[in-house]
Amino acid sequence: MNFYLGIDFGTSGARALVIDAEATIHAEAQYSFGTLGNSQTILLHVSWKKTLFALIEQIPQDIRQQIQAIAINGTSATVLLCDQSGQPVDQPILYNDGRGVAQIEKLKAIAPPNHLVISATSSLAKFLWWCEQEAKHHLSTKNCYFLHQADWLAFLLHGKLGISDYHNALKLGYDPEQLRYPTWMEQLPDWPVLPQVLAPGTPVAEITSEIACDLGLRQDCLVVTGTTDSIAAFLASGAQLPGEAVTSLGSTIVLKLLSDKRVNDSRYGIYSHRLGDLWLTGGASNSGGAVLRQFFRDTELENISRQIDPRQESSLDYYPLLKPGDRFPINDPFLPPKLEPKPTSSVEFLHGLLESMARIEARGYHLLQQLGATQLSRVYTAGGGAKNATWTKIRGRHLQVPVLPSKHTAAAYGTALLALQVAD
């Protein structure tokens, strides 16, 4: 029997999941970056490498020996600069690192108006920041490879440098409609080498003989191009038709709507990923579970939620944020959190928070449709918030479409489906 391995690298750890040709799950493994000890004493990329190998080693040996293909997802816009042997020359820059803010004016000068890359956290902003270090701090970037997290992790298995997918490369400026880097990118410094970009799920190479030996994998096991963590979660959900969407209720609220039309508008933090012949359009709000955990423990959220009547609309109008700034549906880095007035009743307060987050979600989908995306028909839900039945009913009242649990909530499952494509 052949098996297919999907690996999901998130913000705090990673997960592996193995499926068969019928997409049935046969094995799972998880590994926390905290397992590696004090994060201050270990380089970030070293912890990723150890986690990758530890995850694969957790898979039962009889299954591991029958894995035909592997795919990896990583956090979008988490990037590395590597030398020609694949060794990082500097610490990786994480997805939410805003040091690229200093490059905004440069990006505005070369990129089209309102382009996705004109953001402090875009991959391209980080690319330019590294190029600037060439002169300032004598960091040698010439002939280096610019890679995304998923690209580098896959390289550790197949040994081929400089290969990416068009999901990860979107925030680098790659055009998934024309399937090429746009001509305006020719104005960029040519010091670091930009990756070759392939469709997600494209076979790259077999694993190296060393990896096969060390990890107990078959020598002809293929590594395919990966995706981002949020796209992987969408693939796992079961959504397939235009008008179907996935809301991920994790630390933040992420909306993705499958559409016949591509919608991009950085004024609202909206962009589209290519998904076959369709487009996955959406955005992410900084509101979400992280705000809830600021005020309630998980057990409190569960118990207090049961005391809320989801049919009754809360009169409290919040914009729940941990700190100033949101990306979508309001793209304003200075947007202040609104968490007042705070009632003495914890039931009323939580009701107000959940109601307000549901309004943000509904506002987001409404905006996507205003800009031309396919009409919303149903919403699948992923993330920890999917378990909250009260929140689901409140959201259904605002969205006015069926709200369903995702068929699979693990992003690693969606990534395993990419690996399964080699069986077609």
Side-chain angles (χ1 to χ4, degrees):
M1 179 180 288
N2 287 326
F3 294 112
Y4 306 88
L5 170 60
I7 299 176
D8 163 43
F9 266 72
T11 53
S12 59
R15 184 173 183 177
L17 193 146
V18 180
I19 61 175
D20 63 17
E22 304 301 318
T24 301
I25 299 171
H26 284 261
E28 295 183 67
Q30 294 188 57
Y31 204 85
S32 168
F33 298 147
T35 308
L36 298 163
N38 186 345
S39 61
Q40 301 300 316
T41 63
I42 188 167
L43 292 173
L44 193 55
H45 64 272
V46 174
S47 74
W48 293 347
K49 182 176 181 178
K50 290 183 182 234
T51 298
L52 174 65
F53 294 166
L55 270 177
I56 295 174
E57 287 170 341
Q58 283 185 45
I59 297 166
Q61 191 170 13
D62 59 328
I63 292 178
R64 218 186 313 160
Q65 292 172 336
Q66 298 180 75
I67 293 174
Q68 185 181 3
I70 301 172
I72 302 174
N73 77 63
T75 49
S76 177
T78 293
V79 294
L80 305 89
L81 198 62
C82 303
D83 63 21
Q84 293 190 328
S85 67
Q87 181 65 26
V89 299
D90 197 7
Q91 272 276 46
I93 303 179
L94 295 179
Y95 67 100
N96 59 352
D97 190 307
R99 74 183 69 185
V101 68
Q103 310 302 321
I104 294 295
E105 293 308 313
K106 290 182 183 177
L107 289 167
K108 285 181 178 178
I110 60 173
N114 299 321
H115 196 281
L116 172 68
V117 299
I118 306 174
S119 164
T121 58
S122 76
S123 301
L124 192 57
K126 292 162 186 169
F127 173 91
L128 288 177
W129 182 86
W130 257 318
C131 290
E132 197 169 88
Q133 306 317 297
E134 170 86 16
K136 277 188 178 179
H137 304 294
H138 308 292
L139 173 68
S140 179
T141 63
K142 288 184 173 65
N143 300 317
C144 283
Y145 285 87
F146 184 87
L147 299 174
H148 305 91
Q149 181 186 37
D151 309 339
W152 185 74
L153 290 166
F155 153 76
L156 295 177
L157 300 180
H158 58 55
K160 307 290 183 185
L161 265 176
I163 298 173
S164 188
D165 63 89
Y166 57 57
H167 291 160
N168 273 292
L170 186 70
K171 293 180 181 178
L172 182 56
Y174 186 82
D175 185 344
E177 192 163 13
Q178 300 297 323
L179 296 176
R180 59 176 174 80
Y181 287 110
T183 53
W184 59 261
M185 287 186 67
E186 294 172 3
Q187 302 173 61
L188 294 172
D190 59 359
W191 300 329
V193 178
L194 294 178
Q196 175 190 0
V197 180
L198 304 173
T202 302
V204 176
E206 294 178 353
I207 58 172
T208 66
S209 55
E210 182 182 5
I211 288 295
C213 180
D214 290 348
L215 299 181
L217 294 164
R218 50 195 268 187
Q219 180 62 65
D220 64 348
C221 176
L222 281 168
V223 182
V224 307
T225 47
T227 183
T228 65
D229 52 350
S230 61
I231 299 288
F234 184 93
L235 295 173
S237 72
Q240 294 180 323
L241 301 173
E244 294 184 332
V246 173
T247 297
S248 181
L249 300 174
S251 299
T252 59
I253 301 173
V254 182
L255 276 56
K256 293 197 177 295
L257 171 61
L258 200 55
S259 173
D260 290 311
K261 180 181 176 182
R262 183 184 186 186
V263 178
N264 289 315
D265 199 322
S266 66
R267 293 175 301 169
Y268 304 107
I270 294 171
Y271 57 92
S272 294
H273 280 282
R274 184 171 185 155
L275 208 61
D277 295 327
L278 299 173
W279 294 96
L280 196 51
T281 184
S285 171
N286 292 335
S287 188
V291 182
L292 296 177
R293 287 192 173 87
Q294 177 88 347
F295 301 101
F296 303 98
R297 295 190 296 272
D298 286 352
T299 52
E300 290 176 322
L301 282 170
E302 188 176 338
N303 294 333
I304 296 172
S305 291
R306 293 197 191 102
Q307 302 174 55
I308 296 171
D309 182 356
R311 298 167 300 178
Q312 183 68 39
E313 184 166 3
S314 170
S315 61
L316 295 168
D317 184 18
Y318 298 143
Y319 204 104
L321 298 169
L322 286 179
K323 59 183 181 180
D326 202 8
R327 300 169 285 169
F328 169 84
I330 300 174
N331 190 13
D332 180 356
F334 306 107
L335 184 71
K338 186 181 178 185
L339 294 163
E340 298 289 343
K342 184 178 179 181
T344 55
S345 166
S346 58
V347 176
E348 288 182 32
F349 183 48
L350 179 57
H351 190 181
L353 290 174
L354 296 179
E355 192 87 39
S356 298
M357 290 179 185
R359 291 188 191 112
I360 289 171
E361 178 187 8
R363 180 175 178 173
Y365 282 122
H366 179 68
L367 179 59
L368 293 175
Q369 292 164 98
Q370 272 189 320
L371 295 172
T374 301
Q375 184 74 26
L376 184 69
S377 61
R378 69 176 58 196
V379 176
Y380 292 90
T381 312
K387 301 171 186 174
N388 190 314
T390 301
W391 197 0
T392 299
K393 290 174 183 175
I394 292 172
R395 293 171 52 232
R397 173 160 46 79
H398 283 276
L399 293 169
Q400 294 293 299
V401 296
V403 178
L404 309 168
S406 291
K407 291 182 180 178
H408 294 275
T409 57
Y413 184 88
T415 312
L417 293 176
L418 282 181
L420 178 57
Q421 288 181 186
V422 304
D424 293 342

